[in-house]
Amino acid sequence: MRIVIQRVRHASVTIDGAVKSRIDQGYLILLGIEDADTRDDADWLVKKVVGLRVFDDAQGVMNLSIQDVGGNILVISQFTLMASYKKGNRPSYIRAAGHAVAIPLYEYFCQALTAALGRPVGTGEFGADMKVELLNDGPVTICMDTKQKE
């Protein structure tokens, strides 16, 4: 699993002209899943996400977690994060998991993140044409990949 975390002032996802989810301060997370990914990968990422300390404390030092600041999370599935760009100029998405693997893992990740955060996590819609808006805060952008845990 691969995620891109963006610290945001606010973010939203719109599908077919209707806002599906909207958050204020927190994280916008883009999530890519490959066939080899498991619930263990999702659990590892959830632990990292809720423990990540990238919000400013009273001294202006990035020392607080999403839980410390009462932040929210919006998770968007994004198969293009699994793109291979080694040959030519047209990315290959062969590593991206199909629906049978990706949808249950996406849903599991969102449910596990909701439980760890202690409040609902906003979501997009798997496979939909989504319009994502955000105001990046910092900017602070962190990439995590479960294949690079060590």
Side-chain angles (χ1 to χ4, degrees):
M1 294 179 108
R2 185 175 291 166
I3 62 174
V4 175
I5 303 170
Q6 296 181 20
R7 187 179 75 179
V8 298
R9 292 286 176 104
H10 59 81
S12 65
V13 59
T14 301
I15 303 167
D16 294 329
V19 174
K20 176 158 187 336
S21 296
R22 178 186 319 252
I23 64 165
D24 290 321
Q25 178 188 35
Y27 295 145
L28 169 66
I29 298 178
L30 306 175
L31 171 66
I33 300 169
E34 68 180 27
D35 282 327
D37 290 329
T38 66
R39 285 183 171 206
D40 288 341
D41 293 310
D43 291 338
W44 184 84
L45 283 173
V46 165
K47 185 177 178 183
K48 285 295 202 181
V49 167
V50 297
L52 188 65
R53 298 184 318 171
V54 295
F55 291 93
D56 292 347
D57 63 16
Q59 289 74 41
V61 177
M62 288 195 296
N63 198 31
L64 301 176
S65 73
I66 189 117
Q67 291 176 310
D68 294 332
V69 299
N72 296 292
I73 299 177
L74 173 59
V75 181
I76 305 295
S77 62
Q78 186 156 4
F79 76 94
T80 59
L81 287 178
M82 306 315 292
S84 173
Y85 44 83
K86 293 184 180 188
K87 289 196 220 174
N89 292 318
R90 183 169 183 249
S92 168
Y93 303 106
I94 195 82
R95 287 186 51 210
H99 286 101
V101 171
I103 291 173
L105 267 178
Y106 170 74
E107 291 173 352
Y108 176 80
F109 177 78
C110 293
Q111 291 165 358
L113 201 50
T114 292
L117 190 61
R119 62 187 153 280
V121 169
T123 62
E125 182 178 313
F126 195 92
D129 179 19
M130 297 177 275
K131 307 305 179 210
V132 180
E133 293 186 50
L134 69 139
L135 178 58
N136 202 320
D137 184 15
V140 173
T141 303
I142 309 281
C143 300
M144 294 183 187
D145 191 322
T146 58
K147 304 305 182 262
Q148 298 175 1
K149 291 178 188 174
E150 299 174 20

